[in-house]
Amino acid sequence: RLSKGIKQDLLVWLEFLDGFNGVSMWQTPLTPGDSLQVHSDAADGRGFGVYFAGQWCAQRWPESWGSMGILRDLTFLELFPIVVAVCIWADRFRNKRVLFWCDNQAVVRVVNRQTSRSERVMCLVRKLVVLCVVNNISFAAKFVPGADNSIADALSRFQE
């Protein structure tokens, strides 16, 4: 008997295989010097910010997330802007290496391992993986101390 999570994982791969053309491009391992750099941050009660090559996105959390308990899930909140970045800039990331800088070590582990025990977080992981596979994006995450993540931090707190 397959668990609900395994069934959802299989659906992600079916979605990918439905449009896969059979061509695969292999890339060398990620290094900071030859990767596109994306910085992200989430402020629990405010919103998120993501910065890439002079472009940025910031948004407040939906009010409904408070009553749903989502605003207490820091791993979900910190992973969310990473997925948003891939949604927004997939065309710029296509066939490239992307390095996500995040000030949350749990999210760095989730992104690099592409798994989590949290069902809510796994919904985002699956979205991230399918977007990256479809667009041939190699990705990894690295930890950046909050003090060194000033642009994304300011965006997530809506500071100028």
Side-chain angles (χ1 to χ4, degrees):
R1 187 159 165 98
L2 298 177
S3 71
K4 181 180 176 185
I6 290 175
K7 288 178 183 177
Q8 289 173 335
D9 289 345
L10 291 172
L11 288 173
V12 166
W13 287 108
L14 283 173
E15 179 183 343
F16 165 69
L17 290 172
D18 192 40
F20 183 57
N21 66 3
V23 177
S24 179
M25 297 179 63
W26 294 95
Q27 298 174 346
T28 57
L30 285 168
T31 59
D34 62 359
S35 303
L36 301 177
Q37 311 288 310
V38 177
H39 291 261
S40 66
D41 190 43
D44 54 0
R46 295 184 185 120
F48 71 90
V50 64
Y51 178 83
F52 165 64
Q55 297 182 326
W56 57 273
C57 172
Q59 184 66 45
R60 294 193 185 281
W61 300 123
E63 288 183 28
S64 62
W65 283 15
S67 61
M68 296 169 65
I70 295 173
L71 296 181
R72 292 188 303 267
D73 189 343
L74 290 179
T75 304
F76 179 89
L77 295 178
E78 291 278 356
L79 180 57
F80 188 83
I82 290 173
V83 177
V84 168
V86 178
C87 289
I88 292 171
W89 295 305
D91 58 326
R92 302 236 353 242
F93 295 171
R94 188 170 293 120
N95 299 319
K96 303 268 190 326
R97 297 176 195 89
V98 179
L99 185 57
F100 298 106
W101 292 94
C102 179
D103 62 5
N104 183 298
Q105 292 185 13
V107 171
V108 170
R109 280 191 301 277
V110 166
V111 169
N112 290 333
R113 294 179 181 168
Q114 299 172 31
T115 192
S116 170
R117 290 186 181 143
S118 163
E119 188 62 36
R120 181 181 290 147
V121 171
M122 277 307 297
C123 288
L124 289 179
V125 170
R126 289 182 188 102
K127 182 69 173 174
L128 174 66
V129 168
V130 79
L131 283 168
C132 289
V133 170
V134 166
N135 289 288
N136 196 41
I137 301 167
S138 295
F139 66 92
K142 290 207 178 225
F143 176 74
V144 59
D148 297 333
N149 200 23
S150 58
I151 295 175
D153 182 73
L155 289 168
S156 71
R157 298 173 193 283
F158 303 96
Q159 299 170 349
E160 294 184 10

